[in-house]
Amino acid sequence: GHFLPPATYLPLILPRLSTVSNGEHPITILASMAEGTKSNILQESIKDIIEAVSIEDIAYKSQYEHQRALLQLIKVIITKCDPSEVSFDIFRILLFIASSSEADNNVNTALEQLDAFASKTKCAETSELYQRHLNAALKTLLLSANCWTENTPQFLMFVGLMELAGQSLSYEMELFVKVLIACVPKKQDPYVSLRCLTKLRMLLLQEDHPLESSGQLGLWLPDLVSELKKCLTLIPALIEDDAEDTRYFSCDVIYSMSMNYPQLIDSQKLHVLAEKLVKRFDDVSQRIRLKAAQVLAVLFENLPENYDSRLHSGQLQDLYKDAVIFLDDTDDKLQEAVSSTLETMGRACPELLITALEKDIHKYRNAHRCHKLIETLKTLQLK
């Protein structure tokens, strides 16, 4: 590399990058040759080099040694040259490795190089680098978003952006939402949908509220109402899904809707959701059992406007009958949670719940909870 100009060694190496089975070997050689080349001479060929390694067959390979070789080459380019004219291609190569590698050292190296790359391209901090390239990155990802699977490189990069881009995402909300709408529909890969929605949930729950930093998030929330209505129809099935996380997040969705969009839950939907939540009291997972009790209480704290308990006495009677059984559950925490939830549910029709409790109170090992609850409900009747 010190004695040969790129015009001599590049024609020998670049054609072999995608034709050799062990593609990391020519990349490693290229990195070594580039390291020996004087910076001003290497600068003249930087575009040819990065264009060659940025094609998908080379840039998006996940093998450990291949990614190590790419990282070695990118480090040389960043260190010796001005990478401004190939900035986006370098960004997406590093983003893919940081998002896809199963080896921590490759991930850490990619993140370190992103920091160095930001500094070299005169970004005040790495977040500015993401902000600079996010528009182009999301436009590229959008082209294939409706056909992603869990192994699609673009899907891995999108998840990586959701983890790494932080507040930069808030400046591209329109494109960000378009990608989500394209990749999340239930007809697509369910793993892709669940992973994206899980990451979105984490973004919304972060204390620094990265999606709100530009002030655009509020503009998108009212558009969401029609999507939430569609989502609500899926919840009764998802809350019984085989995956524990899906059942848990379904409970979370009901909780959020009850708190923020109670107008979407009419009497019919209320009873359907309540029935599904009561069934979760018998879930194999304790965290879901307790979550279901908490969410059911919130559901009844936000009853539909003009809810008529007399008109719905049959459904309430069935809910009460199925729920009181768990006052005698072997799990003390669930007993306590169900007791608290029933106290809230009982406000809808105290006399029905009292009847349900008194009917089988003699069968309970822990009848004291029933007696305490009955006294509370009788106080409600007096009011």
Side-chain angles (χ1 to χ4, degrees):
H2 180 73
F3 296 104
L4 292 175
T8 300
Y9 64 74
L10 289 182
L12 298 173
I13 299 175
L14 296 186
R16 289 170 168 76
L17 294 181
S18 57
T19 58
V20 180
S21 57
N22 295 320
E24 70 273 7
H25 295 164
I27 295 176
T28 303
I29 293 170
L30 177 58
S32 298
M33 296 290 282
E35 191 167 8
T37 305
K38 290 182 179 179
S39 296
N40 62 323
I41 298 175
L42 183 62
Q43 183 71 48
E44 297 173 1
S45 299
I46 184 176
K47 189 173 181 181
D48 292 333
I49 294 172
I50 296 301
E51 280 184 358
V53 298
S54 64
I55 62 173
E56 291 193 10
D57 288 347
I58 297 173
Y60 296 162
K61 281 186 177 178
S62 57
Q63 290 91 337
Y64 174 80
E65 292 297 340
H66 184 91
Q67 291 188 341
R68 291 302 299 171
L70 268 178
L71 289 169
Q72 182 185 353
L73 175 63
I74 296 296
K75 183 179 181 181
V76 171
I77 296 296
I78 292 174
T79 303
K80 296 178 68 74
C81 302
D82 174 6
S84 300
E85 64 177 320
V86 289
S87 182
F88 178 65
D89 284 330
I90 290 178
F91 172 77
R92 65 184 180 85
I93 292 171
L94 292 176
L95 174 64
F96 174 74
I97 296 174
S99 306
S100 68
S101 181
E102 295 181 359
D104 288 343
N105 59 335
N106 276 1
V107 172
N108 292 335
T109 301
L111 293 175
E112 289 169 5
Q113 289 194 21
L114 280 166
D115 292 339
F117 185 40
S119 178
K120 190 67 179 281
T121 53
K122 297 180 172 57
C123 293
E125 50 191 22
T126 307
S127 62
E128 187 179 326
L129 179 69
Y130 284 98
Q131 192 169 330
R132 183 180 294 177
H133 294 298
L134 195 58
N135 183 277
L138 289 173
K139 283 180 178 176
T140 302
L141 296 176
L142 184 58
L143 296 175
S144 61
N146 63 352
C147 56
W148 287 347
T149 67
E150 61 181 290
N151 296 314
T152 304
Q154 288 80 2
F155 162 62
L156 299 175
M157 292 169 71
F158 183 60
V159 173
L161 281 174
M162 293 176 79
E163 292 178 352
L164 300 171
Q167 295 183 349
S168 304
L169 288 169
S170 69
Y171 294 92
E172 296 293 345
M173 284 299 296
E174 182 175 359
L175 273 172
F176 178 59
V177 172
K178 282 183 178 179
V179 176
L180 281 173
I181 290 173
C183 73
V184 164
K186 60 180 181 178
K187 291 182 180 178
Q188 308 302 339
D189 188 308
Y191 178 86
V192 170
S193 298
L194 181 60
R195 187 86 187 277
C196 288
L197 290 174
T198 302
K199 292 297 178 186
L200 176 60
R201 172 181 176 270
M202 291 177 177
L203 278 172
L204 292 170
L205 292 176
Q206 278 181 221
E207 289 185 6
D208 58 346
H209 304 296
L211 295 184
E212 293 182 22
S213 56
S214 70
Q216 294 185 33
L217 181 61
L219 300 176
W220 287 98
L221 292 179
D223 303 337
L224 283 177
V225 173
S226 60
E227 295 300 317
L228 287 174
K229 288 179 180 177
K230 296 176 187 176
C231 179
L232 198 56
T233 62
L234 304 177
I235 294 301
L238 290 174
I239 204 171
E240 295 180 338
D241 192 82
D242 289 341
E244 181 179 326
D245 280 349
T246 304
R247 300 196 303 277
Y248 188 84
F249 292 140
S250 297
C251 291
D252 254 353
V253 170
I254 299 172
Y255 177 88
S256 297
M257 286 194 175
S258 299
M259 294 292 290
N260 302 304
Y261 296 93
Q263 71 273 19
L264 299 183
I265 303 177
D266 57 25
S267 299
Q268 182 183 1
K269 291 186 178 71
L270 170 81
H271 297 131
V272 171
L273 294 173
E275 179 190 353
K276 297 295 183 181
L277 287 167
V278 170
K279 287 182 178 178
R280 289 304 98 208
F281 289 178
D282 201 28
D283 198 279
V284 294
S285 167
Q286 186 196 47
R287 71 170 185 147
I288 293 178
R289 293 197 297 270
L290 297 177
K291 184 73 172 179
Q294 176 201 8
V295 174
L296 187 57
V298 171
L299 197 60
F300 271 81
E301 284 172 355
N302 297 277
L303 289 172
E305 193 174 351
N306 301 320
Y307 181 80
D308 190 338
S309 59
R310 292 170 298 178
L311 183 63
H312 301 293
S313 60
Q315 291 99 322
L316 286 172
Q317 188 173 25
D318 289 340
L319 286 172
Y320 292 157
K321 182 182 68 174
D322 292 339
V324 296
I325 297 170
F326 295 92
L327 287 172
D328 207 37
D329 194 85
T330 54
D331 184 345
D332 289 340
K333 289 185 178 179
L334 182 63
Q335 285 182 29
E336 186 176 347
V338 171
S339 178
S340 176
T341 298
L342 281 170
E343 184 177 332
T344 302
M345 293 173 68
R347 294 171 191 163
C349 193
E351 60 272 18
L352 275 180
L353 182 50
I354 289 172
T355 301
L357 289 166
E358 290 179 339
K359 181 181 178 183
D360 294 318
I361 196 169
H362 60 282
K363 298 178 182 178
Y364 288 84
R365 290 167 295 179
N366 299 308
H368 68 282
R369 288 195 187 277
C370 296
H371 287 298
K372 184 178 178 181
L373 190 52
I374 288 171
E375 291 303 314
T376 302
L377 294 167
K378 286 181 176 178
T379 304
L380 289 175
Q381 281 184 306
L382 293 174
K383 292 180 181 180

